[in-house]
Amino acid sequence: MTGKDLLKGIQNLDGEFIEEAEFGVLPHSKPKSFGKKKFLLLLAAVLVLLATLTAATVYTRWSATMQYGNHGGAQPSEQLKRQADQSGLVVVPTEEKDGEQKTISATDNGITVTLIQTVMDENGGKAVFRIQGLKLEEGQAPWAWYDYLIDGKDWIQLHISGGSQFFNGIVMDDAGNPVYAKNGKPIVDSPEKGWIPEYQLADGSIEFSVDFSWTGVDVFGKEMVFTFTGFGIQGEKFEDEDIMTHPGVWELRWTLEGSTQAPRKWTPNAKIGDWDLTLVEAEIGQYSTKMTYRPGEQYQDIYDFTEKTGWDPTPASFRLKDGTDVKPQGGSGGGSWDPDTRLATVVYSCWTNVLDPDQIVGISFYSGYELNDQGYRVKKPYYYIPLE
């Protein structure tokens, strides 16, 4: 661990000071003398600081994607970050270069891509990349072309699903108002387009994340070869073709790691609101969740239930012991239906949240949607099920 690594643990520290610490060019000042007692006290304080920062370095420098989520989600506490680090859920992969461990990156055609964080468990995960050198004009949205192999096999062969997204640069201030992460200014809210993203962060970089859902697939300890083949801008309309402005090859290799910590299990065996659908079992881990449902006898299976009711039992929030409702963002995964037991198992493995299962006391589901007086769609009250 270098001096730069340690200083990164101190938030709001000037970036130039951090760079100077790495290369040993801190500004010199007039030598000062200390008494023996004062020196020992200073040394003790430094050792405590180093011990604290050694444990804190990884989880205090999270990606914006995982710190805020899109549209400013609930930010993880320092305790949650520590738990995620200690369990192996959150990893900053490195590789050896010039005799040192450095972050994994690749450069081509003026663009540098760096793998800055992975968040993975047995059901799925997320890889977050920093893109530097891609310039956007006002109103433009970025795009990326990529593919990947795990242990030499593609996602189709491995039956892995998922998706990808760019961090939109919107966070919430202390008052709960949406602002831009790069400067703290209020967002632009367009009547035609809604909230206008600001993809480029204060340093000009852009964050791109890819989700993986691999329930039942053994991936840990195997090599990931992730290859970008181009970057550019999205078409203005959905039907417009995306434009590749920077073709090239950016190959990043690392060994997949993640948490194998067992989730907590509850068996509420409770009806969800007014629906003829029972939540039989809930498994909630730090990152992924598994819900087991049983539809009423009038439905052939869970698919028949969702088709006839038009309602999907996706978790809307998790209630914590302190009364806080954590709303998971994103979330995708797989599911299965057992015709013998009439049980549907659904795995949500790509949240943009890290949870502490020991703090969870309940789960809520959306009861549907309705329009307000202005014609905007709003969510109705939740269906709440305690987990005891």
Side-chain angles (χ1 to χ4, degrees), residues 149-348:
L149 298 174
I150 298 177
D151 198 29
K153 299 177 182 179
D154 64 25
W155 60 275
I156 298 177
Q157 293 172 297
L158 293 170
H159 304 288
I160 292 176
S161 61
S164 60
Q165 54 278 316
F166 289 89
F167 175 62
N168 63 16
I170 297 176
V171 301
M172 295 293 179
D173 63 14
D174 293 338
N177 300 312
V179 297
Y180 290 121
K182 65 184 298 182
N183 53 26
K185 294 182 178 180
I187 65 164
V188 177
D189 190 356
S190 168
E192 296 80 19
K193 299 181 180 180
W195 292 4
I196 303 300
E198 179 55 80
Y199 295 100
Q200 289 187 300
L201 301 175
D203 62 357
S205 67
I206 299 170
E207 286 191 7
F208 178 72
S209 59
V210 179
D211 297 322
F212 310 95
S213 178
W214 51 46
T215 302
V217 183
D218 182 17
V219 299
F220 290 160
K222 297 180 179 178
E223 185 184 49
M224 165 74 84
V225 181
F226 200 102
T227 305
F228 290 94
T229 55
F231 296 96
I233 57 175
Q234 295 182 31
E236 290 189 15
K237 298 179 180 179
F238 181 80
E239 62 272 15
D240 292 343
E241 186 176 354
D242 305 309
I243 302 171
M244 185 184 294
T245 58
H246 293 73
V249 177
W250 297 261
E251 184 179 275
L252 300 95
R253 294 172 176 260
W254 73 95
T255 300
L256 293 173
E257 302 175 73
S259 172
T260 56
Q261 180 174 304
R264 280 202 62 183
K265 295 183 180 181
W266 294 266
T267 54
N269 204 31
K271 285 286 188 70
I272 303 177
D274 301 322
W275 299 111
D276 192 7
L277 184 72
T278 299
L279 175 61
V280 178
E281 185 177 74
E283 294 185 25
I284 303 177
Q286 288 179 292
Y287 189 62
S288 63
T289 63
K290 182 187 294 184
M291 302 292 162
T292 302
Y293 306 102
R294 179 185 290 116
E297 294 293 335
Q298 60 179 307
Y299 303 106
Q300 296 180 7
D301 50 35
I302 190 67
Y303 312 106
D304 186 42
F305 169 84
T306 56
E307 182 177 347
K308 289 181 177 178
T309 63
W311 185 74
D312 180 8
T314 302
S317 66
F318 301 104
R319 177 73 52 83
L320 305 184
K321 290 179 179 179
D322 64 4
T324 302
D325 286 318
V326 177
K327 297 181 179 181
Q329 297 190 42
S332 63
S336 62
W337 169 257
D338 186 333
D340 295 328
T341 62
R342 290 187 53 78
L343 293 177
T345 300
V346 183
V347 176
Y348 307 96

Side-chain angles (χ1 to χ4, degrees), residues 266 284 316-328 355-364 382-387:
W266 294 266
I284 303 177
S317 66
F318 301 104
R319 177 73 52 83
L320 305 184
K321 290 179 179 179
D322 64 4
T324 302
D325 286 318
V326 177
K327 297 181 179 181
L355 303 170
D356 180 357
D358 290 334
Q359 294 299 313
I360 295 175
V361 296
I363 184 172
S364 296
Y382 299 145
Y383 292 134
Y384 178 74
I385 295 178
L387 298 178

Side-chain angles (χ1 to χ4, degrees), residues 32-53:
K32 297 181 180 179
S33 61
F34 295 94
K36 183 177 180 181
K37 182 178 181 180
K38 188 172 183 180
F39 174 77
L40 291 175
L41 289 173
L42 178 61
L43 178 60
V46 169
L47 291 176
V48 171
L49 176 63
L50 292 183
T52 302
L53 292 179

Side-chain angles (χ1 to χ4, degrees), residues 1-22:
M1 179 175 291
T2 67
K4 179 179 180 181
D5 296 324
L6 291 173
L7 290 170
K8 280 182 176 180
I10 307 176
Q11 295 186 359
N12 301 319
L13 192 63
D14 184 78
E16 184 177 352
F17 186 83
I18 294 177
E19 295 300 324
E20 290 171 340
E22 182 180 36

